[in-house]
Amino acid sequence: MSADTSRPATPEDLKASEAVSPSSKLARFPAEEPLELDAGVRLGPWQIAYETYGELNAEKSNAVIVCHALTGDQYVASTNPVTGKPGWWSQMVGPGKPIDTNHYFVICSNVLGGCLGTTGPASINPETGQAYGLALPVITIRDMVRAQARLVDHLGIDTLFAVIGGSMGGMQVLQWAASYPERVFSAVPIAAAARHTSQNIAFHEVGRQAIMADPNWCGGSYLQQGQRPTKGLAVARMAAHVTYMSDESLHQKFGRNLQDRENVTFGFDADFQIESYLRHQGMTFVDRFDANSYLYVTRAMDYFDLAHQFGGSLANAFKGTKTRFCVMSFTSDWLFPTSESRRVVKALNAAAANVSFVEIESDRGHDSFLLDVPEMFQTISGFITGAAHARGLPAPGEEA
Amino acid sequence: MNLAPRQTKSGDVRGDHKVVASLVPHNARVLDIGSADGELLDLLVRERQVDGRGIELSQEGVNRCVARGLSVIQGDADQDLADYPDQAFDVVILSQTLQATREPKKVVSELLRIGNQVVISIPNFAHWRNRAQLLFRGRMPVTKYLPYEWYDTPNIHFCSLRDFVELCRELDANVEKAIALSGRGNKIPVNAPWWVWNIVAEQAVFLLKR
């Protein structure tokens, strides 16, 4: 993403980018091993970028997949090479952490349609030698999970001990449990839903329109034109960021405080701290994310409706499942509210599934799952330890 | 929500829990409604190796249960039992909770629908201490084991043991076992007719089958 933007991206630029040659591990699949997409297209060649933490045991029974959210990446517990920032869930994943890498082999891959090494719109289209742009077929959550399942096959792992993720990551968790029930021993969808609501789609559409309204988007072919729709992408991020926070947390953090000034300026500068904060969020986001990826990944979330895949009945998605579920929501999350998690729990009960459900008190909105929320950590530790006992794995605190 | 008094000494298994556990077969699929902080469910998982699930009304209770590795959801006996399929469990347990439900009759009939066997423990409102308070003081009973005043009690549907047996008859449920307990949850080791138990037992555990 950090290529010089004053000239059109050459094939060499593309090849050098994190989108094509990631710093992380990479599994490449040739054209003869394509990925079947929901759009009815075979995608190939294709690749999936991933990171692993901890050791796979001899029985290959301790693998955990962490699924990342909309703008996340495979660097769940290690430094992101683009931003230089620590892993996005390093409070959750690591030695001695709730997902303890001393005990579990953790895999986290960049989603299909992403921009940090898994095939996405910034990857090279073999037919043109240029970036795919909008020539990439539309991706779904199920396609992302198919790609992850191929990675798991590639790593020689049959059953995953756990699949865990928040927000869009939680959607992938539910899709994993529905598509590959026999391969998922336990599943933890956090701050997620089995479908995108009208309101969710509406916010995403605002973001997409902001990107597409930027003249530098160039109909999606900005890389070929040597342009970047940074303004549009920044606005998309600003709008989305508001949905990740609660009214209360915004109020507590910023209130009506002014930014480095005594009085309002009677102009349209960032007078308020919240404006300055959002502008900063938007500006830093464009350095690490590809605008077309944002279109594709938000679209995947919009298309997600798990019940629809199973004849309109969510319970059918989990029929006969042996997977142990731990569903988690946050009180102040209005983007993926508790009512959506409860829908999932109801369906799991109707399928007589093994399910725990916890609503965690937090005033920090949807983003709570990424933050330091001790009750979430305790619950996940407890759930994983219980699942480890059921699986016959030594749990943290016990000798291997 | 489980309204029984918390155990006093840590590590001790509550008497009524012991009695309930003795009625649950090994390796059974069990739903425990009103799991509180998971003591009974934990006991059943450890000692009877059950495949256990729980429903608990209070969020703190649920969080404690899940953190100790139990499968528990937040929910309420009046509303959430309808989600479960028929005969989903070998044993369904409702411990010290029936008197706090809005529609006890409907709840019991739902329990009989989703469970092959139903274990219900209830406090006996017709215990002699309660009778005495009402008779001599003219006040609603407040005892060590039913510590609430009338205006703040969550127990909105008290019954006597005889009332409960009558409800079972109305619902065509067979009372397979009935065990009278003291307030501390110890078995009352006397063979006595129902009317005696209805006076001396502070609580009782019933095993029902449809």
Side-chain angles (χ1 to χ4, degrees), chain A residues 22 25 36 68 87 119 134 207 209 212 215 220 232 235 276 291 300 358:
Chain A
K25 293 171 180 150
E36 306 266 353
H68 71 71
T119 301
L134 297 194
Q209 287 301 329
M212 293 190 280
V235 171
S276 166
V358 178

Side-chain angles (χ1 to χ4, degrees), chain A residues 324 326 342 345-346 349-361 375 378-379 381-383 385-387, chain B residues 29 51-55 59-60 62-63 66-75 79-80 83-85 88-89:
Chain A
R324 300 164 70 94
C326 181
R342 278 199 183 279
V345 172
K346 252 179 194 292
N349 281 337
N354 186 329
V355 53
S356 291
F357 166 58
V358 178
E359 182 190 32
I360 287 171
E361 185 90 31
E375 218 176 339
Q378 282 157 23
T379 303
S381 290
F383 175 77
T385 303
Chain B
R29 275 173 62 84
D51 177 7
R53 316 285 160 74
I55 300 183
Q59 199 53 62
E60 309 84 79
V62 177
N63 297 7
V66 177
R68 71 200 274 182
L70 301 168
S71 301
V72 174
I73 64 166
Q74 203 223 348
Q79 281 176 19
D80 296 317
D83 300 337
Y84 293 91
F89 296 94

